[in-house]
Amino acid sequence: MRTRAKNNIRKPIQKLNLHTQLSKPLDLEPTTPTQALKDPKWRKAMSEEYDALVRNGTWELVPSNPSQNVVGCKWNFRTKCNSDGSIDRFKARLVAKGFHQRPGIDYYDTFSPVVKPTTIRLVLSIAVSCGWILRQLDVNNAFLQGTLTEHV
C-alpha cells in the first residue's frame, strides 16, 4: 500500500494566529465582593440589587435553628453589553447557594418557571397573523410572589 508519506506528499502545517487581547482590560468583572466594592460602578450595581431585594420583601430575618441547614448567598457580577460591544450596564445579583441544600431534608420538590418554546412559537404566530408590533422588554428585579411556609 502506497501512502502519501511514502510518496513524499506532505500536508503543510497551518499555524493559526489564535492570540487574542481584551479590548478593555480595565472593565473586567470582579470575582469577590471586596473587589467590587472598590469600584464605584460595581458598588452602585450592588446597592441597586440589595435595595430592590429589600423593597420587594424578599426575605425576613428569623433566629437560626441548629437543626436546620442555613442556605448562604453569594454575589454574581456581569457586564451587560450592547450589540455594538459598548457597555450597557453593570449587573450585580445576590443569589442563594442552593447547592448546599439536601434533597428530602431541606426540600422535596423543585420548581423552575421557564417558558416552553411551544408557548413562544404560539405567541409569535398570533402576533404575526394579527399584524401586532413586537417589542422586547427587560424586567429588572422580577420576583415571583409565592410565600414559603418553610424557613430557608
Side-chain angles (χ1 to χ4, degrees):
M1 180 166 149
R2 301 287 293 176
T3 63
R4 287 192 282 172
K6 289 181 181 176
N7 285 332
N8 288 329
I9 300 172
R10 305 242 188 263
K11 218 174 172 183
I13 299 173
Q14 290 183 340
K15 301 231 179 200
L16 301 174
N17 182 7
L18 299 176
H19 178 71
T20 61
Q21 182 179 358
L22 293 175
S23 58
K24 296 181 182 179
L26 299 176
D27 294 329
L28 294 176
E29 296 165 347
T31 55
T32 65
T34 307
Q35 291 175 350
L37 288 171
K38 292 178 184 174
D39 187 340
K41 297 175 291 196
W42 289 110
R43 181 188 296 264
K44 181 177 179 245
M46 289 173 73
S47 177
E48 288 172 356
E49 172 73 0
Y50 182 78
D51 292 344
L53 293 170
V54 170
R55 189 173 50 251
N56 286 316
T58 306
W59 63 74
E60 169 184 320
L61 293 178
V62 295
S64 178
N65 186 342
S67 66
Q68 293 175 326
N69 183 22
V70 177
V71 177
C73 59
K74 70 176 213 157
W75 284 98
N76 283 344
F77 303 99
R78 292 287 176 262
T79 304
K80 299 293 185 174
C81 297
N82 294 319
S83 58
D84 63 355
S86 62
I87 295 176
D88 180 30
R89 64 188 172 109
F90 298 92
K91 185 173 179 79
R93 291 181 57 211
L94 187 63
V95 297
K97 294 181 180 177
F99 51 84
H100 286 263
Q101 293 180 311
R102 300 164 295 189
I105 299 170
D106 297 319
Y107 67 92
Y108 298 103
D109 292 324
T110 59
F111 176 73
S112 178
V114 178
V115 178
K116 294 180 180 178
T118 308
T119 306
I120 294 173
R121 283 194 299 269
L122 176 69
V123 170
L124 289 176
S125 66
I126 292 172
V128 169
S129 64
C130 293
W132 296 342
I133 297 172
L134 295 174
R135 294 200 174 115
Q136 180 180 343
L137 175 68
D138 183 18
V139 178
N140 266 348
N141 306 101
F143 293 98
L144 296 177
Q145 298 300 319
T147 303
L148 294 176
T149 56
E150 303 86 10
H151 290 284
V152 180

